Amino acid sequence: MSLRQELCICIDAPRLDVSTRLIVIIHRKEWRRSSNYRYLARLATRSGEVRLHGLRHQTVSSDGIDLASPSTLVLYPGRGAQGLTAERIAPLQRPVTLLVPDGNWNQVKNMMRRVPMLSQAQPVCLPGQPLTTLTYAE
């Protein structure tokens, strides 16, 4: 299934050369959907990487990710998440690794518990006003 042409942002996606290492960890049930972040990660960044979670008898690879580093961040607005601001990132050693779990809320919540690289990374959220209509129960 693909998105209607007028809703697709592929043409407008920026082509960024960023120093942050972007890794999207996508739930297997989201893999074939045209609305998942893997397309955007590949379109918008030269160094975007995608890893698949949820295959039977396989764990998602954490190769090359320093789980003990404060420079390994996960984009997840749960408890303890700090705003992803320039001030938050400035003191971190380079390169910063940003892990982005991709799935629906239930899938991502479970991924945060079950995938060590996600549960051990420092949680960050996008700055701005918090969403008051959703509860991020952990």
Side-chain angles (χ1 to χ4, degrees):
M1 181 173 121
S2 62
L3 291 176
R4 294 187 326 218
Q5 189 69 24
E6 66 272 13
L7 298 177
C8 185
I9 63 168
C10 296
I11 294 171
D12 298 321
R15 304 299 191 262
L16 305 173
D17 190 13
V18 295
S19 61
T20 299
R21 184 174 175 209
L22 175 66
I23 301 174
V24 176
I25 295 90
I26 187 168
H27 192 278
R28 71 174 174 82
K29 290 183 178 178
E30 299 296 312
W31 182 256
R32 294 193 186 269
R33 295 181 189 255
S34 61
S35 59
N36 67 46
Y37 287 114
R38 75 183 166 114
Y39 293 110
L40 213 50
R42 287 188 179 149
L43 276 175
T45 64
R46 299 190 196 297
S47 61
E49 190 178 328
V50 178
R51 299 185 186 190
L52 186 60
H53 166 73
L55 297 176
R56 288 183 187 250
H57 310 296
Q58 283 185 294
T59 57
V60 62
S61 172
S62 60
D63 289 349
I65 299 172
D66 183 358
L67 298 176
S69 172
S71 295
T72 301
L73 310 173
V74 60
L75 187 60
Y76 182 73
R79 279 190 209 118
Q82 297 179 358
L84 188 58
T85 62
E87 294 81 18
R88 167 75 175 90
I89 295 174
L92 299 178
Q93 272 190 323
R94 300 297 192 260
V96 170
T97 299
L98 181 62
L99 306 173
V100 181
D102 185 14
N104 67 37
W105 281 112
N106 283 331
Q107 291 165 345
V108 171
K109 184 174 69 171
N110 288 329
M111 287 168 63
M112 289 296 295
R113 282 195 327 264
R114 295 178 181 155
V115 179
M117 76 173 120
L118 296 176
S119 63
Q120 294 174 26
Q122 302 294 313
V124 294
C125 59
L126 297 177
Q129 290 202 310
L131 299 174
T132 57
T133 58
L134 297 175
T135 302
Y136 301 108
E138 294 183 40

